Amino acid sequence: MKEFDETDYPRVGETAPDFVRPLVNGEYWEDVALSELTPDGPVLLVFHSMDGAFPGTYIWNEISDRAWDDRYDVTLVGLSISTPNEHLEFVQQREIDYRLFSDPQNGVAETYDLVNDLDGMTGVSEARPAIFLLDEDRIVQYVWTADQWPELPDYDDIGEALEATTSGRES
């Protein structure tokens, strides 16, 4: 296991940084700002490993199984270093109903202070696994970040945060 150093990622009560990246659905992608998603309600922003890596696949399988988007008024989006074409293939093959931001240069992870330098790959990094629940103003309501590689989140905790943040807003 690889232990991550403590970093200065956005904490509960802080405003999550805005960014613009290609947002991929099952058919196409277009540049979208995070701030374009939040006015419609809470957003669960999932930083995950590159497409095809087991932690990212496990995270999206669990999120799909829990169907939070059916239970709560929340927008679920992912973000990784995978290219738009890789995301498109991943979404189609895994039949994921969520949109994924493409950040091949890992700039968003740098902004959020979540860079994970990949062992044995000089100059290659991706985001540390992390989950941020943001309200309409991009204020962080819940945050989980991995302390080590590999590590998966406590999905029950995320469900409780969704319940608390979206109470009265169930779908």
Side-chain angles (χ1 to χ4, degrees):
M1 288 194 189
K2 173 185 174 181
E3 297 287 327
F4 292 124
D5 294 332
E6 183 65 25
T7 63
D8 194 25
Y9 56 83
R11 303 295 203 259
V12 171
E14 296 179 356
T15 302
D18 198 15
F19 59 85
V20 176
R21 291 294 185 275
L23 187 59
V24 180
N25 64 27
E27 299 176 14
Y28 64 94
W29 61 84
E30 63 181 332
D31 284 348
V32 174
L34 177 63
S35 59
E36 292 176 54
L37 303 178
T38 54
D40 294 332
V43 170
L44 192 69
L45 176 60
V46 179
F47 286 80
H48 59 94
S49 56
M50 65 185 83
D51 297 345
F54 79 90
T57 300
Y58 285 172
I59 286 172
W60 286 112
N61 286 346
E62 187 69 27
I63 289 171
S64 293
D65 289 348
R66 290 180 182 252
W68 288 324
D69 55 327
D70 291 337
R71 295 179 53 205
Y72 305 107
D73 184 14
V74 62
T75 299
L76 297 162
V77 293
L79 185 140
S80 83
I81 62 168
S82 297
T83 67
N85 284 324
E86 290 166 335
H87 274 336
L88 188 59
E89 184 176 333
F90 183 69
V91 166
Q92 291 172 344
Q93 285 181 347
R94 305 292 307 167
E95 298 179 355
I96 295 173
D97 292 330
Y98 310 110
R99 296 175 291 170
L100 307 176
F101 281 106
S102 176
D103 186 31
Q105 288 78 34
N106 213 24
V108 176
E110 288 177 16
T111 300
Y112 277 68
D113 204 9
L114 294 170
V115 173
N116 173 23
D117 293 318
L118 296 176
D119 291 336
M121 294 190 222
T122 303
V124 179
S125 66
E126 67 179 3
R128 168 197 290 195
I131 296 178
F132 294 87
L133 178 58
L134 311 175
D135 71 8
E136 295 86 350
D137 298 314
R138 290 192 340 270
I139 304 299
V140 178
Q141 302 299 305
Y142 170 87
V143 62
W144 169 84
T145 63
D147 292 325
Q148 60 191 6
W149 178 261
E151 183 179 15
L152 298 173
D154 183 324
Y155 298 101
D156 291 337
D157 284 353
I158 298 167
E160 290 172 13
L162 285 165
E163 179 74 31
T165 301
T166 64
S167 65
R169 297 180 57 114
E170 288 203 20
S171 295

